[in-house]
Amino acid sequence: QHRFLIGLLDECGRRGILRVVDTAGHVATETLLEVAKRTDLFLYDLKHMDPGLHERWTGVSNALILSNLRALAAAGAEVILRIPVVAGVNDDPENALAAAAFIASLPGNTPGVHLLPYHPIARHKYGKLGRLEDFMDLEEPSADSLEEMAGIFGKSGITARVGG
């Protein structure tokens, strides 16, 4: 699978096409670094800083994800971090503080952060498929919690904006 992506990125580079990779970062580090050699920008998801809560909500630990983000930063990759914000899941100040501290510790240029508010736009589609249980009862974050999160990042010298 990664061979196809590498070939596609190489061809896009030959044609002068901007190469952007959107990833959750849960991939072998050597593969990610090979892709980085051929990528102009990464859109990189950070879902939760607490390893246990990350695994509860996503099914996997965040250890590899955080390690890979550090490796990308050390390699000088251009990265925009995207945090999908879900009320009651990862919109608390503690998670934002932990994310800001981690991001500030990365080598090289500090990546910007896009806070992506959860919205139930696809809920009706899941209902038609009989899969509403996949959707659970997730809630949209409040404007106040998004503003507070952006402020926490700002105080750490990290540019954060709502949307992306």
Side-chain angles (χ1 to χ4, degrees):
Q1 292 174 350
H2 71 277
R3 296 273 177 232
F4 174 78
L5 175 59
I6 288 172
L8 180 62
L9 292 169
D10 284 342
E11 185 60 29
C12 287
R14 281 191 287 279
R15 294 175 184 226
I17 298 171
L18 182 71
R19 298 162 295 177
V20 179
V21 172
D22 188 344
T23 183
H26 196 264
V27 62
T29 304
E30 54 274 5
T31 299
L32 187 66
L33 293 176
E34 266 310 301
V35 168
K37 293 175 187 173
R38 300 159 167 87
T39 301
D40 300 299
L41 173 66
F42 281 92
L43 302 176
Y44 200 100
D45 289 357
L46 278 184
K47 295 184 175 94
H48 211 296
M49 295 306 295
D50 179 274
L53 290 173
H54 190 280
E55 188 160 356
R56 174 182 173 206
W57 288 105
T58 69
V60 297
S61 167
N62 63 359
L64 178 60
I65 294 163
L66 297 176
S67 173
N68 277 343
L69 178 54
R70 187 168 296 285
L72 275 181
E78 184 74 25
V79 177
I80 294 175
L81 296 171
R82 296 163 35 111
I83 302 176
V85 182
V86 181
V89 174
N90 66 344
D91 67 335
D92 55 283
E94 295 78 19
N95 186 58
L97 284 165
F102 180 80
I103 295 164
S105 78
L106 293 172
N109 295 332
T110 303
V113 174
H114 293 180
L115 301 172
L116 307 176
Y118 165 80
H119 52 80
I121 196 165
R123 185 174 297 215
H124 72 282
K125 292 179 183 179
Y126 277 77
K128 288 180 181 179
L129 295 171
R131 294 181 52 196
L132 271 178
E133 71 279 357
D134 291 347
F135 233 88
M136 301 187 275
D137 289 322
L138 302 177
E139 297 290 330
E140 297 179 50
S142 69
D144 288 344
S145 70
L146 290 166
E147 186 177 314
E148 182 177 11
M149 288 180 77
I152 289 169
F153 286 107
K155 287 177 185 171
S156 296
I158 299 165
T159 302
R161 71 178 206 190
V162 176

